[in-house]
Amino acid sequence: NGEVWTPVASPTYARGSVTFTTGPTATSATVYCYKPSGNALGYCDDLAVAEWTPLVSNGGFESGDLGMWSTWGGAQVVAGNARTGSYALQVGPGQSSAEQVVPVQPNTTYTVSGWARSVDPSEPIRIGVKDFGGAGEVWAPVASSTYAMGSVSFTTGPTATSATVYCYKPSGNALGYCDDLAVSSP
């Protein structure tokens, strides 16, 4: 049904990812790296397709409530302002977040991704993960007034069985929104 793509605009390698659902009779899909315009060279490497197993429950907030998500600072599910569907997570206007503990395997690399937007792009939203048995936490800042994807990879520690994924607004006075959060393993 059409095509899905994500732009990657970086002078150094940066990860781009998309999620797609095959049709009822599909037996193949075309994966590509494409530079649509300009005179500069571009490079792609390590392209892969992975079957998506939903580790995040209610990542699109379409149940209309938080479900397995816990919140801090007034984050809530709202009707409207969704990237897809009818509902999204609203964070802000001050510091606030929602997080969910998901099951993981030890010594495994995963990618957490999600879509976010901030009414004021100078107040980025973080899509991230913590408590995965690795060093610290990792996040992708999303500084856009329209929905943009944030995605980071992380490798679990040798005894890890869970990780905490989150949408976090660390500061400012504007509202922000997150939608379609997922964790996948390549």
Side-chain angles (χ1 to χ4, degrees):
N1 193 335
E3 69 181 294
V4 291
W5 54 273
T6 188
V8 177
S10 173
T12 60
Y13 275 106
R15 182 183 198 94
S17 67
V18 296
T19 301
F20 64 95
T21 302
T22 58
T25 60
T27 58
S28 65
T30 302
V31 177
Y32 63 86
C33 172
Y34 173 60
K35 185 176 178 301
S37 63
N39 296 321
L41 294 174
Y43 301 92
C44 295
D45 199 2
D46 299 327
L47 277 77
V49 175
E51 186 172 355
W52 182 69
T53 303
L55 297 177
V56 174
S57 173
N58 193 27
F61 304 98
E62 290 309 303
S63 67
D65 61 30
L66 290 165
M68 301 294 291
W69 293 92
S70 59
T71 63
W72 169 80
Q76 61 183 324
V77 174
V78 295
N81 284 298
R83 176 184 166 261
T84 61
S86 300
Y87 296 93
L89 176 73
Q90 178 181 287
V91 289
Q95 288 182 324
S96 63
S97 69
E99 60 185 39
Q100 185 178 134
V101 177
V102 298
V104 295
Q105 296 296 314
N107 296 317
T108 304
T109 300
Y110 293 88
T111 299
V112 60
S113 62
W115 294 79
R117 74 179 197 87
S118 179
V119 172
D120 180 348
S122 71
E123 299 177 15
I125 310 298
R126 294 179 185 175
I127 304 293
V129 62
K130 62 184 180 180
D131 303 330
F132 55 89
E137 65 184 275
V138 293
W139 70 82
V142 179
S144 175
S145 61
T146 59
Y147 271 106
M149 178 183 266
S151 175
V152 292
S153 293
F154 64 100
T155 301
T156 57
T159 61
T161 58
S162 65
T164 303
V165 299
Y166 61 83
C167 167
Y168 174 50
K169 184 165 188 301
S171 63
N173 296 309
L175 291 174
Y177 300 92
C178 291
D179 204 2
D180 302 325
L181 281 86
V183 174
S184 59
S185 178

